[in-house]
Amino acid sequence: MLTYLQQRPRRLRWSRTLREMVRENHLQIKDLIYPLFVTEGKDIQNPVESMPNIYQFSPEHLLKEVERAYKLGISAIILFGIPKRKDPQASSAYDPDGAVQEAVRSLKKFFPDMLVITDVCLCQYTDHGHCGLVRNGEVLNDETLEVLSKVALSHAEAGADIVAPSDMMDGRVNALRSALDNRGFEHISILSYAVKYFSAFYGPFRHAAESAPGFGDRSSYQMDAGNVREAVKEALLDVREGADMLMVKPALSYLDVVRAIKENTEVPVAAYNVSGEYSMIKAAAERGWLEERSIVLEMLLSMKRAGADLIFTYHAPDVAGWLREEGM
Ligand code: PBG
C-alpha cells in the first residue's frame, strides 16, 4: 500500500549535491583564526606536551608557521606571548621588545594582509599568574586597567590590527578604547573576550602559555558556568564601552551562550574552541577512538550554526587543508 505523505524531508537528502545546496550553515576558511604562542629568545620550537602539534615558537620560527597558515588561506591569527621575566606588575607585558611586539612587527612586514590579533592579558607576565595586579591576595580591578592599557598600546605601536582583552576586569574595553584613541589608534579594533567563563577547558593552554595561577583560581573574575543572562549583560556592557566584536569562550559547552549573544547584539560574534576542546579530540583520535577530520568539521560547523561568525581554533591549519580538499 502506498502511503500519501505531504512532506518527505528525505527528498532533500538523496544526493550530495542537493544536500549541499540546501545546507543552511557553512564553515569557511575565512571564518578561522589560528592561535599561536610566541616565546622570547632565538631558535626555539618547543612542542606543547598537552596539545599535540602545537608549539611555542620564537619569533623567526613563528614567521614560518604563519607562512604555512597563510598559504593555506588562513587570514587571521592571534598571538599569546611567553616572556622570560615575570614580576608582580607584569612589566614585561608592555616591553616594546617583548616576544609579541617583536613578532607583530616582523609579521606585518612580511605578511601585511594577514590580520594580526593580540591577546591582551597579564597572566603570562605576572609572577603569581593572575590576569590582574594582586594586593593582599585580591585581584585588583581598576589598577589593572592602567597596565592593560599600556599593553594594548604597545601592541598597537608594533602594528597589531586588533587587540583582544581576555582578563575579565570590569571596564577594560572602555579603558583600552580611550587609551588607543588618545594615541591616534582609533582605527585599531577591540575584540573583547566579553563572555569568558571560569572553565576547566583551559587546562592545556596553561601549560602552553605557562600561565597557571600560583594561588587560588580565576573564579573572582571569570564567569560562572551556570549563567547565560549574565553573559548578555557582559556583552552589552562591552558593546556600550566600544567593543567592535565579542567573543564567547569556551565554545563547545557554551553554544547556547553563543546563540544568546548573537541574538542580543549587533556586532560580529566569535567562539573560542579552546585548548581542552582541542586536546580531548587529539587524545581520542590518537587512540583511534574518534575520527578526527569528521569530528572537527562537525564541531566547528555546530559553532557556526549556533551563531558564531568567527572561530578561534588550534585546528585551523588542518581544517583549512580539509576544506580546500573539499573545494569549499
Ligand atoms: C588568559 C587566557 C586563557 C586562554 C586565553 N587567554 C587562559 C585562562 O584564562 O586561564 C585560554 C585559551 C585556551 O584554553 O585555548 N589570558
Side-chain angles (χ1 to χ4, degrees), residues 290-315:
L290 285 177
E291 209 259 289
E292 182 174 353
R293 173 173 173 157
S294 312
I295 207 151
V296 170
L297 291 174
E298 180 178 338
M299 190 177 72
L300 298 188
L301 181 60
S302 76
M303 293 169 194
K304 293 295 302 283
R305 195 186 63 236
D309 300 292
L310 308 165
I311 302 173
F312 288 76
T313 181
Y314 303 98
H315 298 288

Side-chain angles (χ1 to χ4, degrees), residues 195-197 222-234 248 253-254 256-258 260-261:
V195 183
K196 179 174 177 184
Y197 286 89
Q222 298 181 341
M223 278 184 55
D224 187 89
N227 299 350
V228 63
R229 294 175 64 236
E230 188 190 19
V232 175
K233 171 178 155 186
E234 283 280 8
V248 175
S253 295
Y254 297 84
D256 56 323
V257 182
V258 173
I261 300 308

